[in-house]
Amino acid sequence: QVQLAESGGGLVQAGGSLRLSCVASGRIFSIHAMGWYRQAPGKQRELVATITTGGNTNYADSVKGRFTISRDNAKNTVYLQMNSLKPEDTAVYYCSARITPVIFVNDYWGQGTQVTVSS
């Protein structure tokens, strides 16, 4: 089985920083795109940032210039560096990865980590 485990969430004041990590483990043949999504209370889950195997990145307009996504392919890990945090960034952040465990590709999700930004 494939598992994604996020870490690094917490409570921070507005203007502060947090770094989220997500490690993929289990039976993995290859990992393709990885990304971060978030869901605030009463809202739909939304894309935050994605990164391809080759390092090409994509960001939501709301986080451009403040968040940076990166990955360490050797460690099966994706990171999200979040700077200049705002109260509206408060949400549960989910890691996602497109992985080929053996033959077929599937999308996997982590359990989520809470990020709370106080004003």
Side-chain angles (χ1 to χ4, degrees), residues 56-119:
N56 292 319
T57 58
N58 179 53
Y59 295 93
D61 288 342
S62 60
V63 307
K64 282 181 181 177
R66 300 188 298 120
F67 291 10
T68 302
I69 188 171
S70 60
R71 65 189 285 173
D72 185 332
N73 293 329
K75 296 181 179 179
N76 291 344
T77 301
V78 62
Y79 306 96
L80 185 68
Q81 178 66 43
M82 304 185 293
N83 298 328
S84 302
L85 282 160
K86 305 175 181 180
E88 50 263 44
D89 294 318
T90 295
V92 177
Y93 283 70
Y94 296 91
C95 171
S96 177
R98 181 155 291 180
I99 295 173
T100 301
V102 179
I103 300 176
F104 300 108
V105 63
N106 292 302
D107 291 327
Y108 295 87
W109 292 86
Q111 299 260 352
T113 184
Q114 177 70 46
V115 171
T116 303
V117 184
S118 63
S119 57

Side-chain angles (χ1 to χ4, degrees), residues 16-87:
S17 298
L18 283 174
R19 189 192 194 207
L20 306 183
S21 300
C22 173
V23 180
S25 62
R27 193 175 186 183
I28 297 172
F29 177 71
S30 63
I31 302 178
H32 312 288
M34 304 183 82
W36 290 95
Y37 292 74
R38 67 187 181 186
Q39 187 166 18
K43 294 187 177 181
Q44 289 189 331
R45 190 173 297 188
E46 63 176 4
L47 180 147
V48 176
T50 60
I51 184 167
T52 66
T53 305
N56 292 319
T57 58
N58 179 53
Y59 295 93
D61 288 342
S62 60
V63 307
K64 282 181 181 177
R66 300 188 298 120
F67 291 10
T68 302
I69 188 171
S70 60
R71 65 189 285 173
D72 185 332
N73 293 329
K75 296 181 179 179
N76 291 344
T77 301
V78 62
Y79 306 96
L80 185 68
Q81 178 66 43
M82 304 185 293
N83 298 328
S84 302
L85 282 160
K86 305 175 181 180

